[in-house]
Amino acid sequence: MVHQPYIWAIVTLLLLLVINLIKDPGYLGISVNGTTGNLSGNPIDILRASAPIMMIAVGMTLVIATRGIDLSVGSVMAVSGAVSMEFMSNQSGGDAGSAIVAALLALAVSAFLGTVNGVLVSIVGLQPFITTLITMLAGRGLAKVITSGQNTSATNEPFRWLANGTVFGFPVVFIIAGVIVAIVAFLVRRTALGLMIESIGINPRAARMAGIRPIGILIAVYIVSAVLAGVAGIFSTASVMTVEVAKTGLNAEMDAILAVVIGGTSLAGGKFSLTGSVIGALLIATLDKTIVFLSIPSSATPAFKAVVIVIICLLQSQRVRALFARRKSRTTPTASVPTRKETVSA
């Protein structure tokens, strides 16, 4: 456990909770809402806020493991929200059928954008950074085209329930995210898919010589990343039943990349940790909640967030830890070695 790279993320997460507890001893308190019967409190809010970040972080983890990057997840969230809200706003009834169709349409469009990314990266050979940067710009424009540049709202209680509902007191959105993460983890850890993804990230040429065809796997990971971003878009828009094409998913790609890095997955590709990315998502959600709770000015919020994340990355750095280990060894007095006297007979 100590050697896991995400151990410092766990330590930081606990430290943030302690800071909040010092300010308010009842910070972690959970109560039952007398009207709705649902659980409420800061821990529930953190779980709810972490669900969209968790989705895009898991998808980003798989892409980064192949030496790629996906900068389009925030725009895909906006497109997903725009498709679902636009569809439901044109429906007369707010029934479950409309909610299911809206969600499926949003995921289908997201998968199409992921396919575009995958094809351009694996077949055309464009750099992942350039490819997804183009998709990021195009996706935001597509969301504006779908909604005619207007913030779009809809009314559909089953759709709203996805983000605001509870099951046994816990947020539905977090339960769905947990199930999806478990399915992805099963596919990449209980089959050869995870090893093939890591082998492409470690050495693409050697992987190809070993019989692994990277084209299909690259397309698949970009589709998975886009679909999970589409799920995150549904979560984000369902909570307020409105898509703001200029704000929905804004800077979400940065949160996803930070969650992956905090979780211990190297940006150089290769070995990855879904558990670390989930912990990174929880840490970012807790950090966002802490910033608001401590009433840190909005102008200083990015700097505060950056300082915390830089400290975590420094603690995870092997070079920094080796430096501290060398300094510790210099300050530790060496144990005296007992000398043994030998008598020499004349």
Side-chain angles (χ1 to χ4, degrees), residues 210-235:
I212 298 174
R213 297 183 177 181
I215 293 178
I217 295 176
L218 286 174
I219 294 176
V221 296
Y222 279 98
I223 291 176
V224 170
S225 176
V227 170
L228 293 181
V231 175
I234 291 174
F235 289 166

Side-chain angles (χ1 to χ4, degrees), residues 23-341:
K23 183 179 181 181
D24 181 7
Y27 181 80
L28 295 179
I30 297 177
S31 59
V32 179
N33 190 312
T35 305
T36 62
N38 298 329
L39 299 178
S40 61
N42 291 312
I44 301 298
D45 294 340
I46 291 173
L47 294 180
R48 195 187 303 276
S50 67
I53 306 174
M54 200 182 298
M55 290 292 91
I56 55 178
V58 168
M60 186 71 76
T61 302
L62 301 180
V63 173
I64 287 178
T66 63
R67 290 191 182 184
I69 195 81
D70 190 352
L71 300 178
S72 64
V73 291
S75 296
V76 173
M77 288 176 63
V79 172
S80 172
V83 170
S84 56
M85 287 297 119
E86 188 68 25
F87 176 80
M88 288 186 291
S89 65
N90 293 321
Q91 300 297 311
S92 57
D95 55 356
S98 299
I100 293 173
V101 173
L104 292 178
L105 282 176
L107 297 181
V109 175
S110 301
F112 172 75
L113 294 176
T115 305
V116 172
N117 283 336
V119 169
L120 292 177
V121 170
S122 62
I123 298 178
V124 180
L126 293 180
Q127 290 291 327
F129 183 90
I130 300 300
T131 300
T132 55
L133 180 63
I134 295 171
T135 313
M136 180 179 75
L137 299 175
R140 192 67 65 178
L142 178 61
K144 291 181 180 178
V145 170
I146 293 172
T147 61
S148 301
Q150 303 296 323
N151 296 337
T152 303
S153 301
T155 302
N156 189 300
E157 286 306 317
F159 198 84
R160 181 192 291 272
W161 180 81
L162 289 175
N164 299 327
T166 58
V167 173
F168 300 117
F170 292 94
V172 173
V173 67
F174 184 77
I175 295 174
I176 295 175
V179 170
I180 293 175
V181 171
I183 293 173
V184 175
F186 178 82
L187 290 176
V188 298
R189 291 308 182 195
R190 295 298 180 182
T191 68
L193 180 60
L195 292 176
M196 289 191 287
I197 291 174
E198 289 181 346
S199 63
I200 292 174
I202 294 172
N203 193 326
R205 185 177 180 184
R208 195 177 298 108
M209 294 177 67
I212 298 174
R213 297 183 177 181
I215 293 178
I217 295 176
L218 286 174
I219 294 176
V221 296
Y222 279 98
I223 291 176
V224 170
S225 176
V227 170
L228 293 181
V231 175
I234 291 174
F235 289 166
S236 298
T237 53
S239 60
V240 292
M241 292 304 291
T242 299
V243 58
E244 299 181 58
V245 291
K247 293 183 178 180
T248 300
L250 185 64
N251 296 328
E253 59 277 356
M254 299 307 299
D255 283 345
I257 295 172
L258 289 174
V260 174
V261 173
I262 291 172
T265 298
S266 171
L267 291 177
K271 290 188 175 300
F272 63 90
S273 171
L274 293 182
T275 303
S277 298
V278 170
I279 294 173
L282 287 170
L283 174 60
I284 290 177
T286 306
L287 182 57
D288 291 337
K289 184 78 175 175
T290 301
I291 289 172
V292 176
F293 187 69
L294 297 180
S295 302
I296 295 176
S298 58
S299 57
T301 298
F304 179 81
K305 197 172 180 179
V307 168
V308 174
I309 292 171
V310 166
I311 291 174
I312 298 171
C313 292
L314 288 176
L315 292 173
Q316 289 177 340
S317 170
Q318 292 184 355
R319 182 172 297 180
V320 173
R321 283 186 292 170
L323 177 63
F324 279 109
R326 283 199 298 270
R327 291 178 63 87
K328 184 178 180 181
S329 62
R330 289 175 185 172
T331 55
T332 303
T334 56
S336 59
V337 178
T339 57
R340 185 177 62 182
K341 296 182 178 179

